[in-house]
């Protein structure tokens, strides 16, 4: 791959150890890796002019359910609480198959890319009608994002006292067998990996205690990460106390679900002891502020988590509970929500940007991503600050969080251009949108 030089950025935000911001900054990349950052760099290769732009590390999304882009704003689920919302959507999701998984993931991934995301995880926990994790991995390959799909699962259906219909749950032996298959087929532990697989039973209320424990044992055996939903809202805490006789943090710890190789989505209701547990054990959190607002779950104690040293990344969450998948907008929401709870000095724009980049990379165990430094992977977003959103702004870096834009000009992943001049460079997006809408109409029975 030829060298690419990004030149003359108004500000290049490195997120390095000293959080250096370089005015008139350049960045040189070669073979998917950052070779140099600084001023006055030269190349005989390709040049990308970045005057008028802020360059940041690519944003990292730590929680999503990509398939849900096909069930945005479903009428019966628009105003329901979490458990009622799930019961509205389960029968629709039960009609999905491989085509729905691929097409919806492609849309979700392109939406993330256009909002500055270079690395995303996904949590796919239902596999109806022959759908496989492979379908979403194929979509990520086409779009060109770095991808951490997780093999989710549900095993306790309605008949066994669970929430999902019996048609959407799997046998636990089959779940573990397919988990081994996808890890062996797709997981790449090497630096610069484009695909890393994780294991992710859906939530403590949709799988058994045995499956949680066995998934943890299997993940450690295979050297992959663990992910699930935890302590999302008051109903969740009440369920945990009633069914398990303890709070979610205790439940997670008892089953081996804490550690540097584990990250939990939401954690809105973690108490002080649980925050201490997460900090001590280096367990990560995927903070999903828009989803928490949308479902009325509450405000996650992100300020307290960060102060205690808990790793926190951002997640847009599934598109049935956001329903947007714009990651830079999610960072703004994270900032605003902490201020609702704790006042205007609760979170700065630069801290929100750090959580959205470096923070997410740490949560996903990617020491090779999340900052713009020599030796790190060439994952970066170029934001044009000359548009109307930031016109009149005095501080372009803070403007990215507090004003906009909400769409990147250019995006590079592993040195490959995924977005060019605000358009997908890897994909015929209008055609992909048309396919998506056709499938949505079919699911709606229209
Ligand atoms: Zn979720």
């Amino acid at each position: 791959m030829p060298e690419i030089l990004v030149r003359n950025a108004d500000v290049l935000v490195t997120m390095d150890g000293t959080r250096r911001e370089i005015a008139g900054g350049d960045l040189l990349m070669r073979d998917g890796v950052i070779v140099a950052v600084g001023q006055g760099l030269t190349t005989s290769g390709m040049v990308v002019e970045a005057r008028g732009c802020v360059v940041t590390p690519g944003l990292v999304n730590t929680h999503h359910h990509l398939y849900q882009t096909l069930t945005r704003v479903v009428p019966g689920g628009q105003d329901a609480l979490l458990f009622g919302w799930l019961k509205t959507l389960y029968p629709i999701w039960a009609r999905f198959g491989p085509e729905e998984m691929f097409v919806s993931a492609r849309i979700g991934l392109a939406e993330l890319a256009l909002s500055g995301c270079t690395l995303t995880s996904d949590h796919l926990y239902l596999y109806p009608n022959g759908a496989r994790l492979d379908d979403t991995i194929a979509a990520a390959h086409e779009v060109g994002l770095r991808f951490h799909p997780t093999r989710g699962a549900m095993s306790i259906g309605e008949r066994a006292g669970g929430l999902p219909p019996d048609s959407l749950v799997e046998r636990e032996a089959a779940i573990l067998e397919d988990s081994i298959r996808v890890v062996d087929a797709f997981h790449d532990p090497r630096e610069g990996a484009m695909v890393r697989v994780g294991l992710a039973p859906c939530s403590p209320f949709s799988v058994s205690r045995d499956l949680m424990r066995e998934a943890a044992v299997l993940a450690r055996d295979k050297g992959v990460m663990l992910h699930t939903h935890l302590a999302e809202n008051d109903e969740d805490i009440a369920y945990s106390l009633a069914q398990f006789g303890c709070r979610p943090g205790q439940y997670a710890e008892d089953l081996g679900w804490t550690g540097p190789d584990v990250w939990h989505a939401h954690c809105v209701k973690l108490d002080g002891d649980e925050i201490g547990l997460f900090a001590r054990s280096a367990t990560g959190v995927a903070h999903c502020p828009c989803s928490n607002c949308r479902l009325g779950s509450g405000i996650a104690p992100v300020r307290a988590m960060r102060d205690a040293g808990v790793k926190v990344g951002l997640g847009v969450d599934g598109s049935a509970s956001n329903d947007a998948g714009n990651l830079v907008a999610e960072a703004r929401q994270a900032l605003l929500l902490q201020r609702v709870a704790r006042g205007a000095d609760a979170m700065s724009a630069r801290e929100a940007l750090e959580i959205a980049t470096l923070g997410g990379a740490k949560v996903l165990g990617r020491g090779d991503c999340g900052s713009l430094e020599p030796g790190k992977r060439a994952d970066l977003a170029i934001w044009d600050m000359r548009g109307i959103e930031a016109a009149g702004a005095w501080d372009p870096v803070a403007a990215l969080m507090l004003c906009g834009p909400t769409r990147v000009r250019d995006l590079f992943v592993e040195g490959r251009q995924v977005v060019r001049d605000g358009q997908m460079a890897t994909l015929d997006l209008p055609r992909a949108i048309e396919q998506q809408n056709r499938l949505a109409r079919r699911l709606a029975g229209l």
Side-chain angles (χ1 to χ4, degrees):
M1 208 184 282
E3 277 189 355
I4 303 172
L5 175 64
V6 177
R7 189 166 67 183
N8 280 328
D10 282 6
V11 187
L12 188 128
V13 182
T14 64
M15 287 294 163
D16 68 6
T18 60
R19 303 293 183 270
R20 190 160 54 119
E21 295 178 1
I22 306 172
D26 302 338
L27 179 148
L28 186 64
M29 51 185 142
R30 188 191 306 136
D31 298 328
V33 177
I34 298 169
V35 179
V37 294
Q39 291 166 318
L41 303 179
T42 57
T43 182
S44 55
M46 178 181 154
V47 174
V48 177
E49 275 298 334
R51 197 179 298 279
C53 297
V54 170
V55 176
T56 67
L59 274 48
V60 178
N61 183 46
T62 59
H63 187 64
H64 207 326
H65 311 287
L66 290 164
Y67 75 92
Q68 292 179 5
T69 59
L70 268 171
T71 49
R72 301 192 213 239
V73 291
V74 169
Q78 284 176 22
D79 307 318
L81 299 178
L82 178 66
F83 284 14
W85 172 88
L86 283 170
K87 287 193 160 239
T88 302
L89 291 164
Y90 281 142
I92 303 172
W93 295 336
R95 301 204 292 276
F96 277 46
E99 186 187 10
E100 283 78 6
M101 291 303 178
F102 174 81
V103 169
S104 58
R106 193 172 55 179
I107 286 293
L109 290 161
E111 187 181 18
L112 285 171
L114 290 167
S115 70
C117 175
T118 51
L119 162 61
T120 184
S121 69
D122 185 45
H123 187 185
L124 181 57
Y125 52 81
L126 39 87
Y127 296 87
N129 308 307
R132 300 193 301 171
L133 196 67
D134 315 34
D135 305 320
T136 61
I137 295 171
H141 186 71
E142 184 174 334
V143 175
L145 288 200
R146 209 180 287 285
F147 194 40
H148 285 207
T150 58
R151 207 304 178 180
M154 298 193 292
S155 62
I156 302 180
E158 270 172 337
R159 217 175 319 154
L163 211 55
D166 291 314
S167 65
L168 274 181
V169 302
E170 299 174 273
R171 285 183 308 110
E172 300 201 338
I175 291 165
L176 290 167
E177 199 177 303
D178 194 53
S179 298
I180 293 168
R181 181 188 70 81
V182 292
V183 169
D184 289 347
F186 298 109
H187 181 71
D188 181 357
R190 294 171 298 179
E191 193 164 316
M194 289 299 289
V195 178
R196 280 193 192 161
V197 178
L199 302 186
C202 184
S203 65
F205 52 80
S206 54
V207 301
S208 74
R209 193 184 284 260
D210 282 349
L211 185 69
M212 291 293 288
R213 196 177 280 117
E214 282 170 37
V217 170
L218 177 60
R220 265 108 202 191
D221 180 48
K222 292 283 185 186
V224 302
M225 292 188 73
L226 286 165
H227 180 48
T228 193
H229 295 100
L230 202 78
E232 180 164 353
N233 63 10
D234 289 329
E235 286 171 288
D236 201 327
I237 302 294
Y239 186 92
S240 186
L241 289 171
Q243 296 295 314
F244 312 133
C246 63
R247 290 184 53 88
Q250 182 74 55
Y251 185 74
E253 188 181 28
D254 289 350
L255 297 175
W257 275 76
T258 51
D261 54 352
V262 183
W263 85 106
H264 294 288
H266 300 303
C267 301
V268 172
K269 298 292 176 181
L270 288 193
D271 68 12
D273 290 344
E274 289 167 313
I275 289 171
L277 167 68
F278 274 43
R280 275 196 311 281
S281 57
T283 306
V285 169
H287 173 46
C288 307
C290 285
S291 171
N292 297 158
C293 289
R294 160 76 159 80
L295 291 173
S297 301
I299 302 173
V302 172
R303 181 71 276 145
M305 290 177 191
R306 296 261 307 168
D307 290 346
V310 176
K311 293 183 293 186
V312 180
L314 282 185
V316 298
D317 202 2
S319 311
S321 68
N322 186 328
D323 302 298
N326 186 305
L327 191 51
V328 74
E330 200 71 37
R332 181 173 199 258
Q333 188 74 11
L335 177 158
L336 295 176
L337 204 50
Q338 288 309 300
R339 292 179 177 207
V340 171
R342 306 279 294 254
D345 58 355
M347 184 178 287
S348 71
R350 282 172 170 79
E351 185 176 10
L353 184 59
E354 179 181 319
I355 292 170
T357 53
L358 191 60
K362 285 181 178 168
V363 166
L364 295 183
R366 295 302 299 245
D368 54 346
C369 300
S371 62
L372 302 180
E373 301 174 77
K376 299 284 168 117
R377 311 315 294 186
D379 292 4
L380 52 131
I382 303 179
W383 307 89
D384 192 341
M385 305 307 291
R386 293 169 299 187
I388 192 164
E389 307 90 344
W394 290 35
D395 174 351
V397 178
L400 184 55
M401 293 289 104
L402 289 167
C403 313
T406 54
R407 188 161 174 153
V408 280
R409 192 194 78 177
D410 298 291
L411 189 81
F412 290 87
V413 182
E414 191 74 358
R416 177 187 183 208
Q417 191 147 20
V418 171
V419 179
R420 181 182 295 120
D421 290 332
Q423 305 298 324
M424 292 302 298
T426 50
L427 190 68
D428 181 349
L429 189 60
R431 191 162 161 271
I433 292 171
E434 194 187 302
Q435 276 178 287
Q436 168 94 339
N437 285 331
R438 186 168 47 77
L439 290 182
R441 281 194 300 273
R442 192 162 82 190
L443 286 166
L446 300 172

